Amino acid sequence: MKYTVDKNGFFGRYGGAYVPEILYKCVHDLQDAYLDILGSDEFKREYHQLLRDYVGRPSPLYYADRMSRRYGCRLYLKREDLNHTGAHKINNTIGQILLARHMGKTRIIAETGAGQHGVATATVCALMGMQCEIFMGKTDVERQHTNVERMRMLGATVHPVTTGNMTLSDACSEAIRDWCSHPRDTYYLVGSTMGPHPYPDIVAKMQSVISEEIKWQLQEKTGRDYPDFLIACVGGGSNAAGTIYHYIDDERVSIVLAEAGGHGVDTDYTAATIQAGTEGIIHGARTLVMQTDDGQIKEAFTISAGLDYPGIGPMHADLAERGREQVIAINDDEAIRAGYELTRTEGIIPAIESAHAVAALSHLRFRPEDVVVLTVSGRGDKDVETYLVHKDMAGEYGDF
Ligand SMILES: *Cc1c(COP(=O)(O)O)cnc(C)c1O
């Protein structure tokens, strides 16, 4: 099973570009241009140079000795938390800002939930001297104040969105609305493998550097270039897409994704879209969506602001349906405990998003010789407050 997207942007039944008529031209221009630009020598040179000198790539592949002994396997952590701005998101924003520049765009818009994508976007706009407008739900503006200040310091304008639940999903809708009124000069810089075609494909390709590096790093460290297991957390699906990109057609590799269960998949307080969602259209793509019987989008619920999205990238809807991905819902308390566990066992405080991936380890059975690569999508500095407030969920680690 290869990574394949057809020319209309479908991954099996999922994907496509369901956009209002006023955006047809923008979206089609992008569809026509992106593959040539991404494939050009000039783009590749700029992109790889910035990844190396600005982002700090390659990110290390770290053998986690104490965690390995605990889980009875050979566990390697792919350290996206060590990137500039603290997560994998910068891989994508670096790529797309170059794409926008090649297309002659001068104004950048983006949506953000927790503010991580907003910060990564404001960062590359500062780097390139481009105008930056960030749409963020008012609720998120209030709960993610530090990131809002970072964006402002970087020169971005942050627009609090007051429609709907005032969270990520509403920020996406508002960004699309802005794009409709500025189709000519504006580039919409999407933060995950979601949105209308070609965004899911663009973002997957920009993040595929993760598995490109895993290949040669594993070869160096273990003498073979593939693991037995790949594990990543999944919100919209971009760090997972990058982690698995070069291994999708390699059946020797089991792929395990951790989605946010919130209070539990069978409650109303969940963000486990792959398990709790049904087919529908969200933000320009046909995919799995958490929705009511009459098609109203439900609010996603999880302790992790970065996984708080009621949709899922269409490539994952497809791969999960075909059985290529095993998807585990990790509840809030499991994620918090796993975040403490990694902190105390390896001295690495993971983002709460990434802690969901760590928690997946205890749901799996390993043989001692199994090589497991787990992507730590981001660092937990932004989440220290949340970890401390919820230390009652940390089990044996919470007693301090
Ligand atoms: C945004 C974010 C995620 C979720 O986004 P994906 O597109 O699913 O990768 C996961 N981890 C961190 C640290 C994030 O900031």
Side-chain angles (χ1 to χ4, degrees), residues 251-266:
E251 296 291 339
R252 297 168 299 187
V253 182
S254 300
I255 297 173
V256 180
L257 302 187
E259 59 177 358
H263 288 184
V265 196
D266 44 8

Side-chain angles (χ1 to χ4, degrees), residues 87-89 116 191-192 233-240 306-307 351 353-354 377-378:
H88 66 292
K89 289 201 168 74
Q116 294 300 106
S192 188
C233 67
V234 59
S238 70
N239 87 87
L307 302 180
E353 292 83 1
S354 320
S377 53

Side-chain angles (χ1 to χ4, degrees), residues 95-389:
Q96 286 197 58
I97 199 83
L98 292 172
L99 177 57
R101 209 175 59 177
H102 276 266
M103 293 184 72
K105 305 290 184 180
T106 53
R107 179 175 177 270
I108 303 296
I109 59 170
E111 83 293 339
T112 195
Q116 294 300 106
H117 176 56
V119 170
T121 303
T123 299
V124 297
C125 287
L127 176 67
M128 299 290 170
M130 291 218 219
Q131 185 187 344
C132 181
E133 315 269 341
I134 303 291
F135 295 88
M136 186 171 187
K138 188 164 167 277
T139 312
D140 290 331
V141 169
E142 284 156 13
R143 13 177 222 205
Q144 307 289 338
H145 209 70
T146 319
N147 277 341
V148 174
E149 299 307 326
R150 288 166 81 193
M151 287 181 253
R152 291 194 170 132
M153 184 168 171
L154 287 157
T157 306
V158 180
H159 302 274
V161 175
T162 55
T163 52
N165 296 311
M166 309 189 200
T167 57
L168 176 60
S169 188
D170 313 294
C172 291
S173 307
E174 200 57 36
I176 292 173
R177 242 169 259 140
D178 178 281
W179 200 20
C180 290
S181 27
H182 306 86
R184 228 169 274 253
D185 62 340
T186 295
Y187 181 90
Y188 181 15
L189 207 162
V190 173
S192 188
T193 41
M194 44 166 271
H197 176 58
Y199 284 108
D201 190 35
I202 291 176
V203 179
K205 286 186 162 57
M206 296 297 92
Q207 294 291 358
S208 68
V209 64
I210 298 173
S211 50
E212 198 180 301
E213 290 173 2
I214 292 173
K215 274 208 153 169
W216 63 258
Q217 290 174 318
L218 270 184
Q219 181 69 46
E220 260 179 33
K221 288 178 198 299
T222 71
R224 65 173 220 213
D225 71 355
Y226 67 95
D228 298 289
F229 289 86
L230 283 171
I231 305 177
C233 67
V234 59
S238 70
N239 87 87
T243 301
I244 70 172
Y245 192 92
H246 291 287
Y247 292 107
I248 294 171
D249 63 347
D250 189 341
E251 296 291 339
R252 297 168 299 187
V253 182
S254 300
I255 297 173
V256 180
L257 302 187
E259 59 177 358
H263 288 184
V265 196
D266 44 8
T267 69
D268 276 339
Y269 299 95
T270 186
T273 312
I274 300 177
Q275 287 169 70
T278 52
E279 198 173 325
I281 291 175
I282 183 167
H283 303 125
R286 174 172 295 281
T287 185
L288 296 171
V289 187
M290 298 207 305
Q291 53 189 332
T292 60
D293 292 338
D294 54 355
Q296 295 292 327
I297 290 166
K298 285 198 213 167
E299 189 176 8
F301 186 95
T302 151
I303 198 162
S304 158
L307 302 180
D308 205 352
Y309 184 61
I312 175 70
M315 74 174 269
H316 297 298
D318 179 52
L319 290 172
E321 186 173 282
R322 297 208 239 168
R324 182 65 187 101
E325 295 173 343
Q326 178 189 350
V327 182
I328 302 175
I330 301 296
N331 294 349
D332 290 347
D333 54 347
E334 294 178 89
I336 293 287
R337 195 197 152 276
Y340 274 92
E341 181 182 20
L342 190 67
T343 301
R344 294 293 177 84
T345 312
E346 297 289 346
I348 296 170
I349 304 179
I352 293 183
E353 292 83 1
S354 320
H356 285 71
V358 177
L361 289 169
S362 60
H363 289 252
L364 299 168
R365 275 251 154 73
F366 301 113
R367 298 166 304 167
E369 65 274 23
D370 280 343
V371 172
V372 179
V373 173
L374 185 154
T375 296
V376 181
S377 53
R379 69 176 83 123
D381 305 28
K382 67 185 177 59
D383 297 321
V384 169
E385 187 75 32
T386 313
Y387 277 125
L388 289 175
V389 167

